[in-house]
Amino acid sequence: MAALALHVSVPQSQPIIRFPSFSLSRFSQCSKRRNLLYCAPPHLDNVRSEVSLCVGTHLIPHPNKALTGGEDAFFVSSYSGGVIAVADGVSGWAKENVDPALFPREFLANASDLVGNDDEVNNDPQILLRKAHASTSATGSATVIVAMMERNGKLKIANVGDCGLKVIRKGQIIFSTSPQEHYFDCPYQLSSERVGQTFLDAKVSNVELMEGDILVMGSDGLFDNVFDHEIVAIATKYVDVGEAAKALANLANSHSADKTFESPYSLEARSKGYDVPFWKKILGMKLTGGKLDDITVVVGQVVSS
């Protein structure tokens, strides 16, 4: 994850915020709930409607945060045609003696409660961001993406920061969100502080989905380490969305620890002027490697009921 927006500092690689993985048995007591908050991999959530999302999730925490499971939050809901969301906390809050996990967890807990229970939210992810943000009292900040699909296949997306979503149709990416950044490695973020972005800064998109379309949502731990062609190859390889999510997370994790890998993150860093010292360039060296991070992947397939 990136630096705090209210701190002007040299961008540097920092761990992404994730939420710990749990076994599905831990959620057996919530089986009657409409929304599944902090879903564990692999999980399937079938929505009975004209079209719906069949969803699989997988999370791999940063190596240094394996014991706590990281600091990310995400949820899957069966409301309407299906709702998926990821919130990625800002690790810079740790320097302020604030647990970076608290804000994204509370934010998506509030969002989960609002979905299906608030008429104003309906199928509007931007309003969902506004209300969830207003209800969150924890100190911190997070990048957030929410996608809500109606039963007719219309997908509405609201995104603040560098979590992302791609739509794959017949082996091609037909839609992709774009990251919002103040500068390299410092994304837009919803915050407990007055200095920061609001729901009005969210990038709102609409996509008409068809049966068979595949959605890949994730934190920047996925997209910083895995190229688009790799995402397409894996997402279309597996019939089971849970297995697809797991395979994508595993690939991102492998790339993140490879110091010689020409990752999307290292390529972007070099394009922004961040590289090895000049004397290393003379020796033919360059900035390479993946970005160690918590990795959250949500894969959804549009199915007909």
Side-chain angles (χ1 to χ4, degrees):
M1 174 45 72
L4 290 170
L6 56 144
H7 291 173
V8 180
S9 60
V10 177
Q12 51 185 290
S13 175
Q14 297 182 357
I16 292 183
I17 317 301
R18 307 278 171 256
F19 191 86
S21 300
F22 298 105
S23 65
L24 290 179
S25 61
R26 296 288 293 276
F27 290 98
S28 59
Q29 60 185 348
C30 305
S31 59
K32 294 183 180 180
R33 292 185 58 188
R34 178 190 298 259
N35 301 339
L36 298 176
L37 181 62
Y38 311 140
C39 297
H43 170 73
L44 299 182
D45 189 48
N46 289 292
V47 188
R48 299 183 182 278
S49 57
E50 296 177 15
V51 290
S52 59
L53 288 178
C54 182
V55 178
T57 67
H58 200 79
L59 183 152
I60 300 176
H62 187 288
N64 295 339
K65 300 180 181 181
L67 294 179
T68 60
E71 300 150 341
D72 202 22
F74 65 95
F75 80 86
V76 176
S77 170
S78 61
Y79 174 72
S80 189
V83 182
I84 54 178
V86 173
D88 185 351
V90 175
S91 60
W93 282 100
K95 298 178 181 178
E96 309 293 328
N97 294 318
V98 173
D99 183 353
L102 298 180
F103 185 90
R105 292 179 188 179
E106 184 183 347
F107 186 100
L108 283 195
N110 292 332
S112 178
D113 289 339
L114 288 165
V115 170
N117 296 312
D118 188 305
D119 292 337
E120 189 179 0
V121 169
N122 197 9
N123 285 299
D124 192 327
Q126 193 172 26
I127 292 180
L128 180 59
L129 289 182
R130 172 174 66 84
K131 291 204 164 190
H133 193 188
S135 301
T136 301
S137 59
T139 299
S141 56
T143 64
V144 184
I145 186 167
V146 178
M148 309 179 76
M149 190 177 79
E150 299 179 24
R151 291 187 175 94
N152 61 7
K154 184 175 183 179
L155 183 72
K156 297 180 180 179
I157 307 155
N159 183 40
V160 178
D162 58 2
C163 290
L165 181 145
K166 298 181 186 294
V167 178
I168 302 169
R169 178 177 297 163
K170 297 180 179 179
Q172 301 290 329
I173 294 178
I174 64 165
F175 171 83
S176 181
T177 57
S178 298
Q180 299 169 300
E181 292 184 319
H182 297 284
Y183 50 83
F184 177 65
D185 220 19
C186 183
Y188 283 19
Q189 54 204 256
L190 299 178
S191 174
S192 59
E193 307 303 299
R194 292 186 178 182
V195 178
Q197 283 64 60
T198 72
F199 73 101
L200 294 174
D201 297 297
K203 173 64 176 177
V204 178
S205 307
N206 297 318
V207 184
E208 296 292 338
L209 299 179
M210 299 170 52
E211 183 180 354
D213 286 351
I214 299 172
L215 282 62
V216 177
M217 176 184 284
S219 62
D220 59 346
L222 170 65
F223 301 111
D224 281 344
N225 291 299
V226 183
F227 288 99
D228 283 357
H229 70 273
E230 296 176 305
I231 292 175
V232 171
I234 291 179
T236 56
K237 175 182 178 181
Y238 293 90
V239 175
D240 184 282
V241 288
E243 290 301 314
K246 181 179 180 180
L248 281 169
N250 285 337
L251 180 62
N253 187 49
S254 176
H255 283 340
S256 71
D258 186 347
K259 296 181 179 180
T260 64
F261 178 60
E262 289 264 22
S263 67
Y265 182 80
S266 63
L267 290 176
E268 182 183 3
R270 294 208 306 266
S271 72
K272 299 294 177 63
Y274 298 93
D275 208 337
V276 296
F278 181 72
W279 67 268
K280 288 188 176 182
K281 288 185 179 181
I282 296 177
L283 298 176
M285 302 172 67
K286 60 184 177 181
L287 180 66
T288 60
K291 180 185 178 185
L292 283 174
D293 248 329
D294 301 327
I295 299 158
T296 298
V297 182
V298 180
V299 177
Q301 185 169 27
V302 180
V303 298
S304 176
S305 298

